[in-house]
Amino acid sequence: MQARDRQIAALGTERSTDVDAFKLASLTQTEQFYSNVLRDLLESDLPFMIGGGYAVNLYTHARCPTKDLDIFTTAAEFPRLLSHLQRNNRVSADESWLGKVHRGRDFVDVIFGSSNGAVPVQEEWFQYAAQAQVLGHCVPVINPTELIWSKAFIQKRNRHDGVDIVHLILKQREAIDWQRLIMYMNPHWEILLCHLLTFRWIYPSERDAIPDWLLDDLLERLSRQREGPPPATKLCRGRLLSSSDYRSATEKWGFLNVEDECGNER
């Protein structure tokens, strides 16, 4: 584990018993449901990590409202987790990337990939995970690097996770492994460049949060790309961002859907 990963390895784990008892007593019914799911998973000793809005709030202290709890695991472990949680809860599954644990209108997402298939959860993610207090339990939390990667393609009309990425860069710049992030995003380097430029525009006084070598690398790729001709085939990669918002491009305007051809153009 690298130094920057060790720095966040015990994120927010130092809590007194009295504080924990007070926190648990003050949980809403929804939070109690989430807490019960976490306790169940911890007792099962099955591998999981916290991601999504809870992880963003832990790393940024933004305290943004969350509509659910996101639990990440690998595709190999997903059936075991869902089967275990099914003993005490109603569950459903989209076997391509996630399952849901339900209680009334509340739910917990159990995620092992992404809706576009580009971001599978990998075993290596666990070695970089932090430990943090979530709803009264000390649990593994996805590293900021993998958290950004998990959110990079969420750019829909009704949901855009760019603000989460911007604030993770702002608050966790030292913990982000940029080499690892660019390795993940190599086939989609333009998406990474867009997020970085957005950060620079929103927080101009914090531009140095992004390493010079990284911007130089991405801008050099852009320069080389501009020197060549565009693809001869009319391509639309928009459905990697949203399966619905770019439907007209592929169904009416004659563009080829490359949703299953991640990174066709470099």
Side-chain angles (χ1 to χ4, degrees):
M1 185 179 293
Q2 297 185 12
R4 57 175 154 267
D5 298 316
R6 290 195 295 269
Q7 292 170 5
I8 61 171
L11 177 68
T13 57
E14 296 182 0
R15 299 283 189 85
S16 71
T17 303
D18 291 341
V19 170
D20 284 342
F22 173 78
K23 289 288 187 181
L24 287 173
S26 63
L27 294 180
T28 66
Q29 287 187 349
T30 298
E31 291 170 334
Q32 188 62 61
F33 166 55
Y34 297 163
S35 179
N36 290 342
V37 170
L38 292 179
R39 184 185 65 244
D40 198 5
L41 287 175
L42 287 169
E43 291 175 352
S44 74
D45 203 30
L46 292 170
F48 74 94
M49 298 172 287
I50 300 299
Y54 272 88
V56 172
N57 284 343
L58 282 166
Y59 287 126
T60 66
H61 306 289
R63 296 184 179 180
C64 295
T66 60
K67 64 179 177 62
D68 60 6
L69 174 68
D70 289 341
I71 291 172
F72 283 66
T73 192
T74 63
E77 296 290 347
F78 171 75
R80 296 177 61 205
L81 260 73
L82 211 62
S83 176
H84 179 79
L85 293 171
Q86 192 173 17
R87 298 185 309 172
N88 299 314
N89 305 277
R90 181 171 63 89
V91 303
S92 60
D94 175 344
E95 296 184 357
S96 63
W97 71 288
L98 91 166
K100 289 182 180 289
V101 184
H102 304 268
R103 194 208 63 176
R105 294 184 177 181
D106 299 325
F107 60 92
V108 173
D109 282 342
V110 182
I111 298 167
F112 62 91
S114 59
S115 60
N116 64 8
V119 189
V121 179
Q122 300 172 352
E123 289 185 12
E124 290 78 9
W125 292 20
F126 286 93
Q127 68 180 292
Y128 305 116
Q131 294 290 322
Q133 286 285 337
V134 177
L135 300 171
H137 305 284
C138 184
V139 294
V141 180
I142 291 179
N143 185 280
T145 306
E146 283 71 31
L147 189 56
I148 290 173
W149 173 220
S150 74
K151 288 177 168 290
F153 292 99
I154 303 176
Q155 302 185 36
K156 302 179 180 181
R157 182 184 299 273
N158 62 347
R159 179 184 172 186
H160 194 296
D161 282 6
V163 62
D164 290 342
I165 292 175
V166 164
H167 289 151
L168 285 166
I169 295 172
L170 179 68
K171 293 297 185 178
Q172 293 293 325
R173 64 185 73 182
E174 298 300 327
I176 297 168
D177 187 323
W178 297 104
Q179 292 279 8
R180 201 161 77 235
L181 184 60
I182 200 169
M183 178 189 68
Y184 292 138
M185 300 197 66
N186 187 52
H188 317 286
W189 59 268
E190 289 154 300
I191 293 290
L192 177 57
L193 179 58
C194 288
H195 284 301
L196 299 183
L197 292 178
T198 298
F199 173 84
R200 286 170 55 88
W201 183 84
I202 292 175
Y203 291 112
S205 64
E206 310 302 314
R207 289 174 181 167
D208 60 354
I210 300 167
D212 288 340
W213 68 261
L214 178 59
L215 272 180
D216 290 343
D217 180 293
L218 296 174
L219 292 174
E220 175 61 26
R221 296 185 192 207
L222 181 62
S223 178
R224 292 197 305 269
Q225 185 192 71
R226 293 180 62 201
E227 293 174 356
T233 305
K234 295 178 66 175
L235 303 175
C236 176
R237 290 182 289 189
R239 297 190 72 173
L240 287 169
L241 306 179
S242 169
S243 61
S244 58
D245 294 335
Y246 297 89
R247 188 169 293 160
S248 292
T250 58
E251 295 181 358
K252 296 181 180 180
W253 303 336
F255 285 85
L256 176 66
N257 178 21
V258 292
E259 186 174 353
D260 297 324
E261 299 178 13
C262 301
N264 185 56
E265 179 199 358
R266 305 296 172 88

